[in-house]
Amino acid sequence: MQRTETPKSLFMLFGATGDLAKRKLFPSLYNLYRKGKLSERFAVIGTARRGWTDEVFRNHVKDSVLSANKHAERIEEFASHFYYQPHDVTDSDSYIQLKQLADELDGKYQLEGNRIFYLAMAPEYFGTISDHLKSDGLTDTKGFKRLVIEKPFGHNLETAKALNNQIRKSFSESQIYRIDHYLGKAMVQNIEVIRFANALFEPLWNNRYISNIQITSSEMLGVEERARYYETSGALRDMVQNHMLQMVALLAMEPPISLTTNEIRSEKVRVLRALRTIEGEDVPEYFVRGQYGPGKINGKKVPGYREELNVAPDSNTETYVAGKLMIDNFRWAGVPFYIRTGKRMAAKSTKIVVQFKDIPMNLYYNTNHDLHPNLLVIHIQPEEGITLHLNAKKPGQHMETTPVQLSFANSSKNGINTPEAYEKLIHDCLLGDATNFTHWDEVALSWSFVDKISQVWENKAISFPNYEAGTMGPKSADELLEKDGFFWWPVEDLEVCNC
Ligand SMILES: NC(=O)C1=CN([C@@H]2O[C@H](COP(=O)(O)OP(=O)(O)OC[C@H]3O[C@@H](n4cnc5c(N)ncnc54)[C@H](OP(=O)(O)O)[C@@H]3O)[C@@H](O)[C@H]2O)C=CC1
Ligand SMILES: O=C1O[C@H](COP(=O)(O)O)[C@@H](O)[C@H](O)[C@H]1O
């Protein structure tokens, strides 16, 4: 893999007038430009159906950057690299014009035929675009060709396979970059470092010392404008199949023999292969679902899911999932990995809590003060950092214990750091580093795990709504842990100390 700090490339962005491009991709490209990680030798062709000109497109790009960063410098220079070509991806003829413009810009910016095709549009078009890129000669250059694909990658294993087979006709696996933006988050990338760079943790990272691991990714937002998509997806497909299972894989994988893309991926794949299959009658034992009803967020009344625009009044779509995953291998036998994710919850928070087993004997039990279990908390967002919860002696004469915390707070520039995640991933793609993108094997295994749960849920409606907006989900999610003798560590009480 060639690594240069400022690789040159043409970006061809499909869906350039859309929401993702505006909110995430243009600000990310700008940040790379501002930091000198994108050389002057780059150009972007934006395409979509509406009949914009280069000028309209450049103004749109500038607005997008300025709404993320009011004081953006060199914005005119940045925007001058952007070109617009009206194009309907279903119209075979218009790929010819796209190719002409691409070849022209290739010469003008001396891009050496390097091309990144970014598909930021509805997934039903992914296969068609990929076919045309090859058949109409857009991939026919001497430089690198990379295809960046947004989520969702299929709706289930069968559709994901069909899509994969179709794009593989035009791109090899090593040229395909499937985005999972959680893999671009700083603290998700930090999981490996915390585990494999600390003598303190690695020896304890197994079923002898860890009692359970909890991963929460809660949102306060509802479905916003995405109900059409979400109605066909639900939280299981939208969040668990990708982001949640990727975090589980990073937490549970064996140390790779080196930090190469292939070694890391193959360890993650082994975790997904070891996931206990949950199917049929076992599903309710391991997984619970919820849908929000009306409630309050930040003191303001919000409607229930079924009252949202483009949602069926009797929708059976889950907006919340909690589950218990078991990894049936030597390291993790007997250790539950609990996951929960949902919309319209009490907090916007993504956290991992690693709960260590109690020590064999509590010498301090006579003091009526229970020892708190040791916890390692990885704060992914909005705050970024690590907290280690320990017990120490309370100041004073008596031998009493008190919980104390060792905290490290990463300063997060963006608060909720999705734009930064995209920035990292786009830069990785430019460098040809696919480590933080999902390999087909991971996608296939994740779908095969999730499909068995959704098959059961699709055939059996339950009484929805079952949690109030602004709460931490349905009661059944608490019961899932209570029956194992655990409880969800409240994310609100685990804030990282900013000291
Ligand atoms: N928005 C987000 O926060 C996230 C989005 N994603 C994924 O990113 C992708 C894009 O999402 P998003 O930006 O929200 O979608 P939008 O609906 O906002 O944008 C869709 C884009 O596709 C263009 N388009 C639609 N049909 C055609 C066509 N036939 N030919 C050419 N262009 C067409 C539209 O422009 P026009 O109407 O001018 O043709 C528009 O630019 C999806 O796969 C989504 O799942 C993933 C994570 C988060
Ligand atoms: O992929 C998705 O993620 C977002 C949550 O991302 P975050 O970075 O804000 O945690 C979620 O809202 C969306 O439904 C889903 O498609």
Side-chain angles (χ1 to χ4, degrees):
M1 180 195 318
Q2 196 195 345
R3 284 187 169 274
T4 52
E5 270 311 293
T6 51
K8 41 199 157 303
S9 182
L10 175 76
F11 290 85
M12 197 171 281
L13 177 56
F14 293 86
T17 60
D19 177 70
L20 182 77
K22 182 168 190 196
R23 285 193 306 115
K24 312 275 165 88
L25 306 183
F26 301 141
S28 298
L29 282 168
Y30 171 75
N31 284 343
L32 291 174
Y33 182 73
R34 181 176 57 85
K35 292 174 186 170
K37 291 182 177 175
L38 198 57
S39 75
E40 289 297 333
R41 285 165 70 183
F42 86 97
V44 178
I45 300 179
T47 82
R49 287 168 305 181
R50 59 198 84 171
W52 286 3
T53 58
D54 288 348
E55 193 192 347
V56 174
F57 185 46
R58 286 174 189 171
N59 286 334
H60 177 74
V61 170
K62 285 189 271 183
D63 285 349
S64 137
V65 172
L66 289 169
S67 55
N69 175 359
K70 263 193 274 175
H71 307 292
E73 291 163 2
R74 295 171 58 216
I75 184 114
E76 292 296 336
E77 282 165 76
F78 172 71
S80 71
H81 291 254
F82 285 69
Y83 298 80
Y84 186 80
Q85 175 77 52
H87 165 80
D88 185 325
V89 294
T90 57
D91 170 12
S92 303
D93 294 340
S94 58
Y95 288 88
I96 312 292
Q97 287 136 29
L98 218 45
K99 177 173 161 38
Q100 280 166 357
L101 179 58
D103 291 344
E104 193 187 305
L105 295 177
D106 199 28
K108 178 171 177 181
Y109 290 92
Q110 301 174 337
L111 302 174
E112 295 173 6
N114 293 335
R115 289 188 181 170
I116 293 178
F117 304 99
Y118 198 122
L119 311 192
M121 6 194 332
E124 68 248 40
Y125 298 119
F126 292 166
T128 311
I129 302 171
S130 160
D131 283 352
H132 276 291
L133 291 176
K134 181 164 168 118
S135 62
D136 292 319
L138 283 107
T139 54
D140 201 6
T141 64
K142 63 177 167 42
F144 65 65
K145 270 79 58 179
R146 295 176 187 148
L147 182 72
V148 182
I149 294 223
E150 269 299 334
K151 63 170 290 196
F153 197 90
H155 177 74
N156 51 28
L157 180 58
E158 196 187 332
T159 51
K161 259 188 197 161
L163 171 60
N164 200 52
N165 290 342
Q166 192 172 4
I167 61 176
R168 283 298 306 274
K169 285 193 263 161
S170 306
F171 293 89
S172 66
E173 178 62 32
S174 64
Q175 294 173 318
I176 301 171
Y177 290 68
R178 298 178 194 82
I179 291 255
D180 182 318
H181 77 273
Y182 268 57
L183 296 181
K185 291 185 190 282
M187 289 308 295
V188 172
Q189 297 190 350
N190 223 327
I191 294 172
E192 279 171 62
V193 184
I194 294 166
R195 288 192 52 195
F196 303 133
N198 289 298
L200 191 62
F201 293 126
E202 191 42 35
L204 307 182
W205 212 261
N206 54 53
N207 53 8
R208 264 169 293 155
Y209 298 101
I210 290 179
S211 82
N212 72 91
I213 295 186
Q214 303 180 9
I215 310 174
T216 299
S217 189
S218 59
E219 294 188 75
M220 293 171 89
L221 291 178
V223 275
E224 310 299 296
E225 286 86 40
R226 296 173 69 221
R228 265 188 236 282
Y229 150 75
Y230 200 82
E231 273 284 87
T232 63
S233 156
L236 187 68
R237 291 189 176 95
D238 187 47
M239 291 292 290
V240 176
Q241 182 271 335
N242 37 60
H243 313 317
M244 303 302 278
L245 288 182
Q246 282 293 324
M247 287 190 279
V248 169
L250 288 168
L251 286 161
M253 73 186 197
E254 293 299 316
I257 54 173
S258 70
L259 292 176
T260 60
T261 306
N262 285 345
E263 293 303 338
I264 293 174
R265 279 174 165 178
S266 72
E267 293 305 341
K268 282 162 68 191
V269 164
R270 282 154 65 92
V271 172
L272 297 171
R273 282 175 48 209
L275 269 184
R276 184 179 301 170
T277 303
I278 313 294
E279 58 190 335
E281 289 172 358
D282 288 340
V283 169
E285 281 297 302
Y286 288 85
F287 269 81
V288 303
R289 55 187 151 153
Q291 187 191 78
Y292 63 86
K296 279 189 177 169
I297 297 275
N298 290 334
K300 272 197 183 153
K301 279 191 183 167
V302 294
Y305 179 69
R306 288 177 177 185
E307 285 86 61
E308 304 269 19
L309 189 68
N310 296 322
V311 172
D314 57 351
S315 171
N316 188 34
T317 301
E318 78 287 350
T319 59
Y320 176 99
V321 175
K324 167 168 130 174
L325 310 181
M326 300 303 293
I327 298 166
D328 290 328
N329 65 15
F330 217 79
R331 184 185 283 262
W332 294 114
V335 180
F337 283 64
Y338 299 108
I339 56 170
R340 62 175 167 167
T341 181
K343 296 208 180 273
R344 285 283 190 235
M345 292 175 66
K348 168 73 186 171
S349 179
T350 305
K351 281 191 180 42
I352 296 166
V353 180
V354 180
Q355 180 175 341
F356 290 89
K357 287 187 173 166
D358 292 337
I359 46 170
M361 190 179 90
N362 178 1
L363 289 169
Y364 305 98
Y365 70 99
N366 280 336
T367 62
N368 290 333
H369 284 272
D370 284 343
L371 281 186
H372 288 241
N374 292 144
L375 303 178
L376 171 69
V377 184
I378 304 176
H379 306 260
I380 291 172
Q381 63 183 18
E383 76 283 11
E384 298 181 345
I386 313 163
T387 315
L388 192 55
H389 292 234
L390 306 168
N391 292 296
K393 183 185 168 299
K394 219 177 192 171
Q397 301 256 310
H398 302 288
M399 200 42 114
E400 285 183 13
T401 64
T402 185
V404 295
Q405 295 178 21
L406 303 181
S407 285
F408 159 71
N410 221 5
S411 61
S412 163
K413 290 196 192 84
N414 294 300
I416 296 164
N417 60 7
T418 328
E420 205 203 334
Y422 272 93
E423 185 186 321
K424 284 202 186 106
L425 293 175
I426 293 172
H427 190 233
D428 282 356
C429 177
L430 261 171
L431 295 171
D433 183 350
T435 313
N436 292 311
F437 293 82
T438 36
H439 188 274
W440 165 245
D441 293 346
E442 297 168 71
V443 176
L445 285 160
S446 306
W447 275 125
S448 110
F449 178 78
V450 155
D451 278 356
K452 296 186 182 70
I453 298 160
S454 51
Q455 272 151 22
V456 171
W457 285 357
E458 273 159 20
N459 291 318
K460 195 165 184 224
I462 62 165
S463 175
F464 279 158
N466 60 354
Y467 72 98
E468 225 177 279
T471 65
M472 283 310 278
K475 212 167 151 273
S476 50
D478 295 334
E479 289 161 0
L480 185 73
L481 273 70
E482 276 161 21
K483 66 186 184 209
D484 292 342
F486 299 123
F487 59 88
W488 291 106
W489 288 95
V491 290
E492 309 88 308
D493 299 348
L494 295 174
E495 295 305 293
V496 68
C497 163
N498 222 343
C499 34

